[in-house]
Amino acid sequence: MFVIAGGTLAIPILAFVASFLLWPSALIRIYYWYWRRALGMQVRYAYYDDYQFCYSYRGRPGYRPSILMLHGFSAHKDMWLSIVKFLPKNLHLVCVDMPGHEGTTRSDLDDYSISGQAQRIHQFVECIRLNRRPFHLVGTSMGGNVAGVYAAQYPEDICSLTLICPAGLPSTTDSKFIKQLRELQESESIDRIPLIPSTPEEMSDMLKLCSYVRFKVPQQILQGLVDVRIPHNDFYRKLFLEIANEKSRHSLHENMSKIKVPTQVIWGKQDQVLDVSGANLLASAIPDCHVYILENCGHSVVVERPRKTANLILEFLALLHSPYYMKKQA
């Protein structure tokens, strides 16, 4: 009986080990599925004509503003789970896959410029009627660029804004990433974009570039992360060239003076992708701007400092709805 029980127990253990060694990408998908389920995030789809948006949500609209979260380049809605963990369960949260990413429609005919993506996000907002009341918009990196442009183009939709290491700003100091891009251009190896890894070694280099905190990631997990991305790398290259061209490169800078809602800027002081000096640029252009620079933190603020980021967002929202602040604004 013991042998049978032991053998039965060994089967799922061997299956887990085999999946870890042979199909690490499948294990990563299962991991996100489990984490969403544990945090109460439900996946849904919304349609604008024949265009599909994939999103996850938790909670229902209430007296506090809903929160819409826009992820960065080549990421997906689940990147926000580390922050969702530290947000109240009764807060209405919506995390959407950006245009062309994960479960949201990808089309060669679509406009992937920053303004084009902002327009798509507005369509999504109208689809799920999120703008029945002004909501709080959060964006990081490329998503921060889109969020800032959205705030400028659709001011009636939002009540406040959080930008986390946003792209779309010029800088007097070149980051490590910008220097790498210049070197690749000079060597005519622009296809080897550091943010689009195709090997475990390149994935490890990307993680080091994006994070100040050094995570010890097993080789099999690195392989799984690469396997998940490789089928999408051609699209990521096309998207990167689109958002890095003249039309989109400084979209946030061109629109920041039009942002009138209270704005929170969170930036990792050791960001090697987008220089932290962008925070001062935003503070000088947006009337009601609150800047928070995180020490010992890189570009991946959401992953490196999730609890701190969640607390800063909650404190910012509490401030905006405090009697003192509301009296001050009256």
Side-chain angles (χ1 to χ4, degrees):
M1 189 68 173
F2 176 78
V3 174
I4 295 173
T8 304
L9 181 63
I11 292 172
I13 293 175
L14 288 172
F16 177 84
V17 172
S19 64
F20 179 70
L21 295 174
L22 301 176
W23 305 290
S25 59
L27 198 64
I28 289 169
R29 292 189 180 94
I30 293 170
Y31 167 77
Y32 281 123
W33 172 84
Y34 176 79
W35 204 6
R36 281 198 306 269
R37 188 177 178 87
L39 294 175
M41 295 292 286
Q42 300 183 57
V43 175
R44 293 289 184 271
Y45 296 89
Y47 296 89
Y48 184 88
D49 293 333
D50 60 347
Y51 194 91
Q52 174 181 281
F53 294 98
C54 181
Y55 67 102
S56 60
Y57 79 97
R58 188 176 75 183
R60 295 180 179 276
Y63 70 94
R64 289 188 289 187
S66 299
I67 299 179
L68 174 61
M69 307 177 117
L70 309 181
H71 64 73
F73 172 78
S74 77
H76 48 76
K77 60 187 176 298
D78 293 332
M79 69 156 285
W80 294 108
L81 293 175
S82 56
I83 285 183
V84 168
K85 177 182 177 181
F86 298 107
L87 294 175
K89 289 188 176 180
N90 61 352
L91 200 58
H92 183 222
L93 307 175
V94 179
C95 306
V96 62
D97 285 326
M98 295 294 283
H101 290 75
E102 198 76 6
T104 292
T105 294
R106 179 180 300 172
S107 169
D108 290 337
L109 302 177
D110 217 9
D111 177 6
Y112 290 105
S113 67
I114 296 301
S115 60
Q117 291 191 60
Q119 185 177 0
R120 279 295 187 196
I121 295 301
H122 182 61
Q123 292 170 355
F124 167 70
V125 164
E126 294 203 314
C127 279
I128 66 169
R129 301 178 67 194
L130 190 64
N131 55 354
R132 282 180 294 179
R133 290 180 55 198
F135 58 88
H136 181 69
L137 181 59
V138 181
T140 184
S141 198
M142 179 193 78
N145 196 353
V146 175
V149 171
Y150 189 104
Q153 292 183 353
Y154 307 100
E156 68 284 353
D157 279 6
I158 69 171
C159 59
S160 47
L161 176 68
T162 294
L163 302 176
I164 304 173
C165 304
L169 299 167
S171 175
T172 54
T173 305
D174 284 347
S175 65
K176 181 177 179 180
F177 172 63
I178 297 299
K179 290 176 182 176
Q180 287 179 346
L181 280 183
R182 289 216 170 110
E183 290 171 3
L184 290 171
Q185 283 178 322
E186 289 170 4
S187 64
E188 298 183 348
S189 302
I190 195 59
D191 282 347
R192 291 177 53 239
I193 299 168
L195 297 181
I196 309 177
S198 55
T199 66
E201 292 72 28
E202 289 176 358
M203 174 59 72
S204 179
D205 290 341
M206 188 191 81
L207 295 177
K208 290 175 184 175
L209 177 68
C210 292
S211 302
Y212 176 79
V213 177
R214 290 293 176 257
F215 299 102
K216 293 182 179 179
V217 184
Q219 183 72 11
Q220 286 301 120
I221 296 297
L222 290 172
Q223 184 64 60
L225 292 170
V226 170
D227 290 346
V228 168
R229 296 171 65 98
I230 281 178
H232 309 287
N233 276 355
D234 287 343
F235 166 73
Y236 293 153
R237 289 188 188 93
K238 176 187 174 183
L239 175 61
F240 182 85
L241 295 175
E242 179 66 46
I243 63 177
N245 71 16
E246 291 298 324
K247 182 180 178 181
S248 293
R249 186 181 306 165
H250 297 146
S251 290
L252 179 53
H253 184 249
E254 292 162 4
N255 285 272
M256 62 185 184
S257 62
K258 301 174 190 174
I259 299 174
K260 304 304 180 186
V261 296
T263 300
Q264 176 185 54
V265 176
I266 304 173
W267 217 303
K269 188 174 183 179
Q270 285 75 30
D271 192 333
Q272 298 183 98
V273 178
L274 299 169
D275 192 73
V276 68
S277 60
N280 291 330
L281 201 58
L282 291 168
S284 65
I286 301 172
D288 192 1
C289 189
H290 306 246
V291 175
Y292 303 86
I293 306 299
L294 304 186
E295 296 281 350
N296 302 321
C297 184
H299 186 65
S300 300
V301 171
V302 174
V303 176
E304 295 179 72
R305 305 289 289 279
R307 185 193 297 269
K308 179 66 175 178
T309 305
N311 287 340
L312 284 173
I313 292 172
L314 292 174
E315 289 167 9
F316 180 58
L317 293 176
L319 169 67
L320 299 185
H321 294 86
S322 66
Y324 169 77
Y325 184 86
M326 295 174 76
K327 183 178 178 180
K328 182 181 175 184
Q329 296 302 109

